PDB file of all heavy atoms in Angstrom:
ATOM      1  N   ARG B 529     109.382  92.861  88.185  1.00 98.00           N
ATOM      2  CA  ARG B 529     108.397  92.272  87.263  1.00 98.00           C
ATOM      3  C   ARG B 529     109.083  91.498  86.144  1.00 98.00           C
ATOM      4  O   ARG B 529     110.206  91.846  85.735  1.00 98.00           O
ATOM      5  CB  ARG B 529     107.523  93.374  86.646  1.00 98.00           C
ATOM      6  CG  ARG B 529     106.666  94.080  87.685  1.00 98.00           C
ATOM      7  CD  ARG B 529     105.734  95.132  87.113  1.00 98.00           C
ATOM      8  NE  ARG B 529     105.005  95.739  88.217  1.00 98.00           N
ATOM      9  CZ  ARG B 529     103.901  95.218  88.766  1.00 98.00           C
ATOM     10  NH1 ARG B 529     103.373  94.116  88.258  1.00 98.00           N
ATOM     11  NH2 ARG B 529     103.326  95.797  89.788  1.00 98.00           N
ATOM     12  N   ALA B 530     108.396  90.480  85.659  1.00 98.00           N
ATOM     13  CA  ALA B 530     108.848  89.757  84.472  1.00 98.00           C
ATOM     14  C   ALA B 530     108.676  90.698  83.268  1.00 98.00           C
ATOM     15  O   ALA B 530     107.943  91.692  83.366  1.00 98.00           O
ATOM     16  CB  ALA B 530     108.000  88.500  84.299  1.00 98.00           C
ATOM     17  N   PRO B 531     109.324  90.379  82.134  1.00 97.00           N
ATOM     18  CA  PRO B 531     109.227  91.292  80.981  1.00 97.00           C
ATOM     19  C   PRO B 531     107.780  91.586  80.571  1.00 97.00           C
ATOM     20  O   PRO B 531     107.481  92.685  80.115  1.00 97.00           O
ATOM     21  CB  PRO B 531     109.970  90.521  79.872  1.00 97.00           C
ATOM     22  CG  PRO B 531     110.955  89.679  80.613  1.00 97.00           C
ATOM     23  CD  PRO B 531     110.309  89.300  81.907  1.00 97.00           C
ATOM     24  N   ASP B 532     106.853  90.659  80.755  1.00 97.00           N
ATOM     25  CA  ASP B 532     105.460  90.945  80.368  1.00 97.00           C
ATOM     26  C   ASP B 532     104.715  91.754  81.427  1.00 97.00           C
ATOM     27  O   ASP B 532     103.566  92.144  81.208  1.00 97.00           O
ATOM     28  CB  ASP B 532     104.696  89.648  80.050  1.00 97.00           C
ATOM     29  CG  ASP B 532     104.445  88.783  81.285  1.00 97.00           C
ATOM     30  OD1 ASP B 532     105.054  89.048  82.342  1.00 97.00           O
ATOM     31  OD2 ASP B 532     103.636  87.849  81.197  1.00 97.00           O
ATOM     32  N   GLY B 533     105.323  92.012  82.589  1.00 97.00           N
ATOM     33  CA  GLY B 533     104.682  92.840  83.609  1.00 97.00           C
ATOM     34  C   GLY B 533     104.192  92.067  84.816  1.00 97.00           C
ATOM     35  O   GLY B 533     103.775  92.673  85.808  1.00 97.00           O
ATOM     36  N   LEU B 534     104.228  90.738  84.784  1.00 98.00           N
ATOM     37  CA  LEU B 534     103.802  89.955  85.950  1.00 98.00           C
ATOM     38  C   LEU B 534     104.743  90.216  87.123  1.00 98.00           C
ATOM     39  O   LEU B 534     105.976  90.127  86.985  1.00 98.00           O
ATOM     40  CB  LEU B 534     103.807  88.454  85.604  1.00 98.00           C
ATOM     41  CG  LEU B 534     103.530  87.508  86.781  1.00 98.00           C
ATOM     42  CD1 LEU B 534     102.087  87.643  87.274  1.00 98.00           C
ATOM     43  CD2 LEU B 534     103.810  86.053  86.373  1.00 98.00           C
ATOM     44  N   ALA B 535     104.168  90.548  88.290  1.00 98.00           N
ATOM     45  CA  ALA B 535     104.992  90.753  89.483  1.00 98.00           C
ATOM     46  C   ALA B 535     105.650  89.433  89.870  1.00 98.00           C
ATOM     47  O   ALA B 535     104.975  88.387  89.922  1.00 98.00           O
ATOM     48  CB  ALA B 535     104.117  91.263  90.625  1.00 98.00           C
ATOM     49  N   LEU B 536     106.968  89.469  90.153  1.00 98.00           N
ATOM     50  CA  LEU B 536     107.660  88.228  90.533  1.00 98.00           C
ATOM     51  C   LEU B 536     107.164  87.770  91.901  1.00 98.00           C
ATOM     52  O   LEU B 536     106.971  88.568  92.815  1.00 98.00           O
ATOM     53  CB  LEU B 536     109.166  88.447  90.572  1.00 98.00           C
ATOM     54  CG  LEU B 536     109.831  88.837  89.246  1.00 98.00           C
ATOM     55  CD1 LEU B 536     111.350  88.793  89.388  1.00 98.00           C
ATOM     56  CD2 LEU B 536     109.384  87.946  88.092  1.00 98.00           C
ATOM     57  N   SER B 537     106.938  86.468  92.022  1.00 97.00           N
ATOM     58  CA  SER B 537     106.443  85.883  93.266  1.00 97.00           C
ATOM     59  C   SER B 537     106.850  84.419  93.282  1.00 97.00           C
ATOM     60  O   SER B 537     106.880  83.756  92.236  1.00 97.00           O
ATOM     61  CB  SER B 537     104.911  85.984  93.295  1.00 97.00           C
ATOM     62  OG  SER B 537     104.386  85.069  94.239  1.00 97.00           O
ATOM     63  N   SER B 538     107.134  83.931  94.497  1.00 94.00           N
ATOM     64  CA  SER B 538     107.471  82.508  94.601  1.00 94.00           C
ATOM     65  C   SER B 538     106.301  81.658  94.127  1.00 94.00           C
ATOM     66  O   SER B 538     106.495  80.548  93.623  1.00 94.00           O
ATOM     67  CB  SER B 538     107.812  82.158  96.046  1.00 94.00           C
ATOM     68  OG  SER B 538     108.936  82.894  96.458  1.00 94.00           O
ATOM     69  N   ARG B 539     105.095  82.158  94.282  1.00 95.00           N
ATOM     70  CA  ARG B 539     103.913  81.360  93.917  1.00 95.00           C
ATOM     71  C   ARG B 539     103.692  81.318  92.403  1.00 95.00           C
ATOM     72  O   ARG B 539     102.875  80.524  91.933  1.00 95.00           O
ATOM     73  CB  ARG B 539     102.666  81.875  94.655  1.00 95.00           C
ATOM     74  CG  ARG B 539     102.742  81.613  96.162  1.00 95.00           C
ATOM     75  CD  ARG B 539     101.447  81.893  96.885  1.00 95.00           C
ATOM     76  NE  ARG B 539     101.460  81.359  98.243  1.00 95.00           N
ATOM     77  CZ  ARG B 539     101.706  82.070  99.358  1.00 95.00           C
ATOM     78  NH1 ARG B 539     101.982  83.356  99.278  1.00 95.00           N
ATOM     79  NH2 ARG B 539     101.691  81.492 100.545  1.00 95.00           N
ATOM     80  N   ASN B 540     104.421  82.142  91.613  1.00 97.00           N
ATOM     81  CA  ASN B 540     104.282  82.042  90.159  1.00 97.00           C
ATOM     82  C   ASN B 540     104.698  80.659  89.671  1.00 97.00           C
ATOM     83  O   ASN B 540     104.245  80.199  88.623  1.00 97.00           O
ATOM     84  CB  ASN B 540     105.145  83.095  89.449  1.00 97.00           C
ATOM     85  CG  ASN B 540     104.635  84.510  89.684  1.00 97.00           C
ATOM     86  OD1 ASN B 540     103.531  84.685  90.206  1.00 97.00           O
ATOM     87  ND2 ASN B 540     105.418  85.506  89.312  1.00 97.00           N
ATOM     88  N   GLY B 541     105.553  80.008  90.447  1.00 95.00           N
ATOM     89  CA  GLY B 541     106.017  78.669  90.078  1.00 95.00           C
ATOM     90  C   GLY B 541     104.902  77.636  90.078  1.00 95.00           C
ATOM     91  O   GLY B 541     105.062  76.552  89.516  1.00 95.00           O
ATOM     92  N   TYR B 542     103.779  77.931  90.722  1.00 96.00           N
ATOM     93  CA  TYR B 542     102.648  76.996  90.729  1.00 96.00           C
ATOM     94  C   TYR B 542     101.863  77.038  89.412  1.00 96.00           C
ATOM     95  O   TYR B 542     101.032  76.167  89.161  1.00 96.00           O
ATOM     96  CB  TYR B 542     101.649  77.348  91.849  1.00 96.00           C
ATOM     97  CG  TYR B 542     102.164  77.266  93.270  1.00 96.00           C
ATOM     98  CD1 TYR B 542     101.614  78.088  94.255  1.00 96.00           C
ATOM     99  CD2 TYR B 542     103.164  76.388  93.652  1.00 96.00           C
ATOM    100  CE1 TYR B 542     102.047  78.025  95.570  1.00 96.00           C
ATOM    101  CE2 TYR B 542     103.600  76.324  94.963  1.00 96.00           C
ATOM    102  CZ  TYR B 542     103.044  77.141  95.916  1.00 96.00           C
ATOM    103  OH  TYR B 542     103.476  77.068  97.220  1.00 96.00           O
ATOM    104  N   LEU B 543     102.078  78.082  88.595  1.00 97.00           N
ATOM    105  CA  LEU B 543     101.223  78.289  87.416  1.00 97.00           C
ATOM    106  C   LEU B 543     101.572  77.318  86.296  1.00 97.00           C
ATOM    107  O   LEU B 543     102.762  77.065  86.024  1.00 97.00           O
ATOM    108  CB  LEU B 543     101.400  79.725  86.904  1.00 97.00           C
ATOM    109  CG  LEU B 543     101.003  80.850  87.869  1.00 97.00           C
ATOM    110  CD1 LEU B 543     101.530  82.203  87.368  1.00 97.00           C
ATOM    111  CD2 LEU B 543      99.480  80.890  88.030  1.00 97.00           C
ATOM    112  N   SER B 544     100.554  76.788  85.614  1.00 98.00           N
ATOM    113  CA  SER B 544     100.796  76.001  84.399  1.00 98.00           C
ATOM    114  C   SER B 544     101.244  76.968  83.302  1.00 98.00           C
ATOM    115  O   SER B 544     101.159  78.193  83.458  1.00 98.00           O
ATOM    116  CB  SER B 544      99.514  75.291  83.972  1.00 98.00           C
ATOM    117  OG  SER B 544      98.584  76.254  83.497  1.00 98.00           O
ATOM    118  N   GLU B 545     101.665  76.413  82.160  1.00 97.00           N
ATOM    119  CA  GLU B 545     102.135  77.271  81.062  1.00 97.00           C
ATOM    120  C   GLU B 545     101.017  78.227  80.619  1.00 97.00           C
ATOM    121  O   GLU B 545     101.233  79.434  80.428  1.00 97.00           O
ATOM    122  CB  GLU B 545     102.577  76.388  79.900  1.00 97.00           C
ATOM    123  CG  GLU B 545     103.634  77.023  79.029  1.00 97.00           C
ATOM    124  CD  GLU B 545     104.112  76.062  77.958  1.00 97.00           C
ATOM    125  OE1 GLU B 545     104.420  74.885  78.296  1.00 97.00           O
ATOM    126  OE2 GLU B 545     104.130  76.465  76.798  1.00 97.00           O
ATOM    127  N   ALA B 546      99.804  77.678  80.493  1.00 98.00           N
ATOM    128  CA  ALA B 546      98.679  78.513  80.041  1.00 98.00           C
ATOM    129  C   ALA B 546      98.346  79.567  81.102  1.00 98.00           C
ATOM    130  O   ALA B 546      98.071  80.734  80.775  1.00 98.00           O
ATOM    131  CB  ALA B 546      97.457  77.644  79.760  1.00 98.00           C
ATOM    132  N   GLU B 547      98.385  79.171  82.367  1.00 98.00           N
ATOM    133  CA  GLU B 547      98.096  80.135  83.441  1.00 98.00           C
ATOM    134  C   GLU B 547      99.168  81.222  83.500  1.00 98.00           C
ATOM    135  O   GLU B 547      98.868  82.392  83.728  1.00 98.00           O
ATOM    136  CB  GLU B 547      98.023  79.415  84.801  1.00 98.00           C
ATOM    137  CG  GLU B 547      96.764  78.568  84.959  1.00 98.00           C
ATOM    138  CD  GLU B 547      96.835  77.639  86.179  1.00 98.00           C
ATOM    139  OE1 GLU B 547      97.949  77.430  86.738  1.00 98.00           O
ATOM    140  OE2 GLU B 547      95.782  77.112  86.559  1.00 98.00           O
ATOM    141  N   ARG B 548     100.411  80.813  83.265  1.00 98.00           N
ATOM    142  CA  ARG B 548     101.494  81.812  83.291  1.00 98.00           C
ATOM    143  C   ARG B 548     101.269  82.884  82.215  1.00 98.00           C
ATOM    144  O   ARG B 548     101.506  84.072  82.422  1.00 98.00           O
ATOM    145  CB  ARG B 548     102.860  81.117  83.118  1.00 98.00           C
ATOM    146  CG  ARG B 548     104.036  82.062  82.925  1.00 98.00           C
ATOM    147  CD  ARG B 548     104.218  82.989  84.106  1.00 98.00           C
ATOM    148  NE  ARG B 548     105.167  84.061  83.840  1.00 98.00           N
ATOM    149  CZ  ARG B 548     104.861  85.197  83.252  1.00 98.00           C
ATOM    150  NH1 ARG B 548     103.617  85.453  82.861  1.00 98.00           N
ATOM    151  NH2 ARG B 548     105.781  86.126  83.069  1.00 98.00           N
ATOM    152  N   ALA B 549     100.800  82.443  81.049  1.00 98.00           N
ATOM    153  CA  ALA B 549     100.538  83.408  79.975  1.00 98.00           C
ATOM    154  C   ALA B 549      99.386  84.345  80.359  1.00 98.00           C
ATOM    155  O   ALA B 549      99.380  85.522  80.013  1.00 98.00           O
ATOM    156  CB  ALA B 549     100.216  82.673  78.677  1.00 98.00           C
ATOM    157  N   GLU B 550      98.430  83.816  81.089  1.00 98.00           N
ATOM    158  CA  GLU B 550      97.257  84.605  81.489  1.00 98.00           C
ATOM    159  C   GLU B 550      97.560  85.529  82.682  1.00 98.00           C
ATOM    160  O   GLU B 550      96.928  86.586  82.849  1.00 98.00           O
ATOM    161  CB  GLU B 550      96.122  83.630  81.871  1.00 98.00           C
ATOM    162  CG  GLU B 550      94.874  84.241  82.495  1.00 98.00           C
ATOM    163  CD  GLU B 550      94.070  85.160  81.562  1.00 98.00           C
ATOM    164  OE1 GLU B 550      94.248  85.047  80.326  1.00 98.00           O
ATOM    165  OE2 GLU B 550      93.302  85.983  82.081  1.00 98.00           O
TER     166      GLU B 550
END
Side-chain angles (χ1 to χ4, degrees):
R529 295 183 181 277
D532 69 347
L534 174 68
L536 298 189
S537 161
S538 298
R539 292 190 167 99
N540 292 349
Y542 297 151
L543 298 167
S544 70
E545 207 176 312
E547 288 168 345
R548 171 61 191 85
E550 172 66 20

